[in-house]
Amino acid sequence: MDLFEYRRLEQQEEHAPLAQRLRPKTFGEVLGQEELLRKGGLIDKALSSNTLPSMILYGPPGTGKTTLAQLISKSCNMNFFKVSAVAAGVKDLREVVESAREHLRMNRGRSVLFIDEIHRFSKSQQDFLLPYVEEGELVLLGATTENPFFSVNKALLSRMILVEVKPLHHDALEELLERCVDLYSKEHGVEIEIDPEAKEFLISRSGGDARRCINSFEVSALRAREGNSIHMTVENVRDNFMQAALNYDNDEEHYNTISAFIKSMRGSDVDATIFYLAKMLVAGEDPLFIARRMLIFASEDVGNADPMALSLASSTFYAATVLGMPEVRINLSQCAVYLASAPKSNASYVAIDRAMAFVRERGGLEVPLHLQDTHFRGAEKMGRGGYLYPHNEKKGYVAQQYLPDAIKDMKFYQSKPMGYEKKMEAFLSLLKEQNKDVDK
């Protein structure tokens, strides 16, 4: 490294964002990943044995994935190559592979290829890496904010170890803020005071993201500075806090949120139901998608415990086809609250699945003769007939066999003592009891 290169790196460090200047330089400085870095854990064993496997570091933004990759390769004394999936192509990957091979030939050790946002690589780019990872010519460390099972090729994923990097917890973010205060006050020669409420606001709004916490602190410090002192109150921190984007830009969070919405309705938690509905709407989810899921829910989870649920869900689905945001939010909210508050029964859902599974296994079986069609000449000669018409009876009911002979006592439907379904079961039971009395 010549004098000019040294000066360039020095200036780069000097003008780097605060988040970059605070980046941990040792494992001891890493915050919030105690479980991942614990003694005897995967990373500890890999470092102590110097047998680093290819890994995918999966977690939300600002949790330290890039930092961990750099520290891991440094600790293993391995050559470190970094590419971004946003800008790199197969040509760049091929150059890294050739450099890694050259290092091996020259006995300069193995190499680590770190790919940031690996989920953005195309299938062909991911496939290109397969043989080199499998043969051990390089160790691949990939970082992604999206669930690898959605975004990484199964073939590549099967050759790598999945490491989940968690969002930073409260204590870790609190210590991070202390580091921000120490470094910022030293670099700018200012006294910094943060009110406890302001500190809690910064921590809670950071959502476990270290980078967001640092950037928000830096903006708030800049705006709150008066001469050589900075006093952050909850009011000015709230005013200056960078607006956090909703974490709803990937398939996993999309499915996680709709799953939580449905499970909250099923669990009759109205407030949680409304929260997840609001989250989806603010994130730009298609109202038709939400209405469609509620239409399914009305029969699957409410069923005949409250038959009105299906009517309201159908009306809401229609409203979603003719109305857009923001008006349709009211219809969606009304329906969601109703479904969450309604009595629940999945008896109809379970019954049809049980019956379909039976038919697939045993076939349709023969329809009893007295139920078969008789609207043709010669039906009597074929032994058909004998059906008793319920409407001819005073009570509108007559006991007769409807299921095929082989399963005449089979029970597919088991009602639940909930809402209107309880009344339906009571009515059916009453009919059967009255019929017994008539038979006697």
Side-chain angles (χ1 to χ4, degrees):
M1 180 187 301
D2 60 24
L3 183 62
F4 296 104
E5 177 65 9
Y6 179 81
R7 180 57 184 156
R8 186 189 70 80
L9 292 175
E10 190 179 56
Q11 288 183 333
Q12 181 177 314
E13 175 69 18
E14 182 181 341
H15 297 293
L18 183 60
Q20 178 64 29
R21 303 199 299 277
L22 281 167
R23 187 183 293 276
K25 296 177 174 57
T26 65
F27 283 113
E29 295 178 5
V30 175
L31 296 171
Q33 305 301 336
E34 295 83 3
E35 178 62 24
L36 195 58
L37 299 175
R38 65 181 173 83
K39 189 170 181 58
L42 171 66
I43 292 179
D44 178 65
K45 287 185 176 180
L47 296 178
S48 59
S49 62
N50 203 29
T51 54
L52 184 65
S54 290
M55 295 186 290
I56 287 186
L57 302 171
Y58 156 58
T63 51
K65 298 183 293 296
T66 300
T67 297
L68 287 172
Q70 291 174 341
L71 293 177
I72 288 170
S73 60
K74 180 181 177 182
S75 299
C76 291
N77 293 316
M78 300 177 74
N79 307 297
F80 185 78
F81 297 94
K82 177 183 177 181
V83 298
S84 172
V86 176
V90 171
K91 178 177 179 292
D92 302 287
L93 298 179
R94 188 173 285 112
E95 290 175 358
V96 171
V97 169
E98 288 304 318
S99 297
R101 286 174 169 172
E102 181 66 19
H103 283 301
L104 284 174
R105 281 194 295 268
M106 301 300 293
N107 201 28
R108 292 200 293 260
R110 298 178 69 201
S111 300
V112 166
L113 169 59
F114 175 66
I115 301 178
D116 197 15
E117 299 188 90
I118 192 172
H119 59 274
R120 295 184 181 275
F121 262 169
S122 66
K123 184 179 184 301
S124 61
Q125 289 170 310
Q126 292 185 30
D127 286 343
F128 174 82
L129 295 166
L130 278 174
Y132 308 110
V133 173
E134 191 167 29
E135 294 166 14
E137 290 189 81
L138 56 79
V139 174
L140 176 61
L141 296 181
T144 177
T145 56
E146 297 197 13
N147 190 326
F149 293 101
F150 288 120
S151 56
V152 178
N153 290 356
K154 291 180 180 178
L156 184 60
L157 191 60
S158 68
R159 291 161 173 79
M160 304 178 74
I161 294 174
L162 180 61
V163 177
E164 187 172 3
V165 185
K166 301 286 188 180
L168 273 66
H169 51 74
H170 182 281
D171 290 349
L173 289 171
E174 190 171 23
E175 185 175 340
L176 179 62
L177 277 178
E178 291 176 4
R179 294 184 187 180
C180 289
V181 170
D182 291 342
L183 183 60
Y184 197 91
S185 59
K186 183 191 298 182
E187 290 181 343
H188 296 273
V190 293
E191 294 282 338
I192 300 178
E193 179 186 357
I194 307 180
D195 289 350
E197 295 84 0
K199 182 183 291 187
E200 285 302 313
F201 188 85
L202 281 168
I203 291 172
S204 64
R205 287 294 299 272
S206 295
D209 184 331
R211 191 180 300 108
R212 183 184 295 164
C213 183
I214 296 169
N215 291 342
S216 300
F217 164 85
E218 192 170 21
V219 171
S220 298
L222 182 65
R223 300 285 293 276
R225 181 168 181 172
E226 294 289 343
N228 291 328
S229 66
I230 295 173
H231 180 204
M232 293 188 197
T233 65
V234 69
E235 288 78 15
N236 60 40
V237 167
R238 184 184 290 114
D239 291 341
N240 299 324
F241 199 94
M242 300 173 74
Q243 184 65 32
L246 281 177
N247 181 23
Y248 199 83
D249 59 354
N250 58 61
D251 285 343
E252 184 188 12
E253 192 61 23
H254 161 80
Y255 289 115
N256 283 347
T257 306
I258 192 64
S259 174
F261 175 64
I262 291 168
K263 288 170 182 171
S264 297
M265 288 193 295
R266 186 179 295 139
S268 300
D269 190 322
V270 177
D271 293 306
T273 296
I274 289 297
F275 169 77
Y276 291 116
L277 174 61
K279 178 179 177 181
M280 290 188 288
L281 293 176
V282 171
E285 184 62 83
D286 183 1
L288 265 176
F289 169 75
I290 301 171
R292 189 179 300 118
R293 295 309 297 261
M294 290 198 292
L295 191 58
I296 297 167
F297 182 93
S299 287
E300 179 179 338
D301 287 281
V302 178
N304 288 322
D306 185 350
M308 267 300 297
L310 182 57
S311 295
L312 181 59
S314 298
S315 299
T316 303
F317 182 79
Y318 172 73
T321 64
V322 296
L323 294 178
M325 285 291 288
E327 291 84 358
V328 76
R329 79 192 190 284
I330 306 169
N331 307 94
L332 295 172
S333 178
Q334 178 189 356
C335 186
V337 169
Y338 189 96
L339 294 178
S341 306
K344 309 293 190 298
S345 173
N346 67 344
S348 300
Y349 166 55
V350 171
I352 188 60
D353 280 0
R354 186 180 291 148
M356 290 177 70
F358 181 90
V359 170
R360 290 189 186 101
E361 182 180 345
R362 296 276 300 274
L365 303 180
E366 186 180 2
V367 175
L369 286 174
H370 63 283
L371 299 183
Q372 292 184 16
D373 179 39
T374 58
H375 292 86
F376 62 92
R377 192 177 300 169
E380 285 187 27
K381 291 183 181 180
M382 297 179 66
R384 300 186 186 183
Y387 168 64
L388 302 176
Y389 190 54
H391 292 295
N392 289 338
E393 304 298 321
K394 289 182 179 180
K395 299 184 184 301
Y397 174 82
V398 61
Q400 62 184 324
Q401 179 186 323
Y402 292 94
L403 280 169
D405 292 340
I407 58 170
K408 63 180 181 179
D409 296 319
M410 177 71 73
K411 298 290 183 185
F412 292 108
Y413 174 75
Q414 294 179 350
S415 64
K416 293 186 176 183
M418 301 294 295
Y420 191 77
E421 195 162 282
K422 184 178 180 179
K423 295 181 180 180
M424 292 167 55
E425 182 61 28
F427 173 71
L428 293 174
S429 298
L430 179 63
L431 286 177
K432 293 174 183 176
E433 286 299 319
Q434 289 175 339
N435 193 76
K436 286 180 183 178
D437 293 339
V438 171
D439 290 341
K440 291 178 182 178

